[in-house]
Amino acid sequence: MSTEHFDAVEIIGIKRDRGTLSPEQIDWTIDAYTRGVIAEEQMAALNMAILLNGMDRAEISRWTTAMINSGERMDFSSLRTPAGAVKPTADKHSTGGVGDKITLPLAPLVAAFGVAVPQLSGRGLGHTGGTLDKLESIPGWNASLSTAALMDQLSECGAVICAAGTGLAPADKKLYALRDVTGTVEAIPLIASSIMSKKIAEGTGTLVLDVKVGSGAFMKNEQDARELARTMVGLGTDAGVKTVALLTNMATPLGLTAGNAIEVAESVDVLAGGGPADVVELTVKLAQEMLAGAGVHDADPAAALADGRAMDVWHKMISAQGGDPAAALPVARESETVYAQAEGVLTELDALSVGVAAWRLGAGRARRQDEVQAGAGVRLHAKPGDVVRRGQPLMTLLTDTPEKFGRALEALESAAVISAEGSRNGQRLILERIAE
Ligand code: URA
């Protein structure tokens, strides 16, 4: 006789009929799925019922806690300030976009103010790049750290960007793989609980969410992005993590690069006090939010970029993981230029098209096991709001494998819109701030 407290068909029926699951039913569902008692096809049906009918705040919160409880939690309370107090921790999560290299300058920048930044990151899949893939273009840099090495690095240089261990929210790993092949990735309760279970298990005190909106993002419109942001802020708050979200524009790529080594180089420009205005603006804004959450209110992050304090932390952080911050970065063997077809103002440069082109050039992977090319990607020579002349270079495509140019160029066919009458204001970057 079964000793299970519930059965999967009953749980599926409740969500199919727009009912509410009890805390006990949710705990059992996540636990039974992790143990293999709920079959894949049953969980797929439940995910689809959740996608169609939603979950309320209490259900999403309990679902997230159950996923956290499926694995280990990290604890940074042993980190101390020079005065012996518990060191504040702050982390940022981006829902992913094209040219989104912000973690690279942001982690050392925030650490320069005495806040510890444990930035556990992932690899890219599809058209959005992965932070670890970018950093791995630095000769010698190692993404995998033991927990002891991570703690040592946090106490010595204040910032670490490394691969998230497999022990955090293992239920999410299994569930995400199933959602990926059953058309249920897009359910907002499931996205929010997936992201937040990993971030809460990571043990940060403050979390700033960068929820991207637009063609290059997961969320294509502001309404869905706002709902996702509100749900995640609610989950963080319920779990005792100081959480705020910014909705930011991903209609066009961030900065002037989408790839791996070229994004590292652009990040180093920002750390040297230069770099594209949009990358600087978002880095500084996110740093202010992280520092305020961690209790540092009088900080001037722009000054720490200009005077080299953030760069000093970057050098330490890269060297601590075996990387050589002074080494030349890999360069793609082949390049091809795309020229402006008309005269006027560049009003659109579509993020998704550029992301897909960079991916097809070899900067991203189609399957988890694929290798990425360090030098591949797209370099932009103009951004929305810029005046362009006919025949001026708009983008340079970079790859080691020139047979990839054709498919990348196809992706870019209607990426750029040039208008005689266009506005020169460009596009607004930070759209909204969401907090409770
Ligand atoms: N990223 C995650 O970690 N989970 C999701 O469900 C979607 C994006």
Side-chain angles (χ1 to χ4, degrees), residues 32-206:
Y33 178 58
T34 312
R35 288 185 287 119
V37 169
I38 296 182
E40 295 291 340
E41 62 273 21
Q42 292 176 312
M43 200 61 175
L46 179 60
N47 286 341
M48 186 57 83
I50 291 170
L51 182 140
L52 295 172
N53 296 331
M55 288 206 282
D56 68 23
R57 178 164 175 163
E59 285 178 295
I60 305 172
S61 192
R62 190 70 178 213
W63 186 276
T64 305
T65 305
M67 295 222 289
I68 295 168
N69 291 341
S70 73
E72 57 197 46
R73 286 182 87 136
M74 301 200 58
D75 178 5
F76 298 115
S77 60
S78 62
L79 293 173
R80 299 283 145 171
T81 64
V86 174
K87 197 168 186 178
T89 49
D91 189 4
K92 185 263 311 186
H93 177 81
S94 159
T95 55
V98 179
D100 185 1
K101 71 277 296 169
I102 302 290
T103 296
L104 277 58
L106 181 64
L109 175 58
V110 172
F113 291 92
V115 173
V117 187
Q119 193 75 56
L120 304 191
S121 301
R123 290 175 202 285
L125 188 64
H127 74 274
T128 61
T131 298
L132 302 180
D133 296 325
K134 300 180 212 287
L135 284 167
E136 277 174 345
S137 62
I138 300 173
W141 189 84
N142 170 30
S144 304
L145 295 186
S146 66
T147 305
L150 186 157
M151 295 300 282
D152 282 352
Q153 187 172 327
L154 269 183
S155 66
E156 267 151 48
C157 34
V160 62
I161 305 174
C162 66
T166 51
L168 298 178
D172 174 63
K173 208 151 279 151
K174 190 171 177 197
L175 196 56
Y176 191 86
L178 177 65
R179 288 166 55 209
D180 208 17
V181 294
T182 54
T184 50
V185 167
E186 287 78 4
I188 286 178
L190 298 179
I191 299 173
S193 54
S194 166
I195 292 172
M196 292 303 290
S197 61
K198 289 171 285 196
K199 286 289 151 185
I200 296 166
E202 209 180 282
T204 184
T206 293

Side-chain angles (χ1 to χ4, degrees), residues 17 27 361 399 401 410:
D17 299 337
D27 291 350
L361 289 164
T399 186
T401 39
E410 268 172 36

Side-chain angles (χ1 to χ4, degrees), residues 104-113 270-272 301 303-317:
L104 277 58
L106 181 64
L109 175 58
V110 172
F113 291 92
V270 172
L271 286 160
L305 290 174
D307 66 18
R309 273 176 288 161
M311 183 71 101
D312 289 345
V313 181
W314 165 263
H315 281 148
K316 281 194 214 155
M317 179 182 93

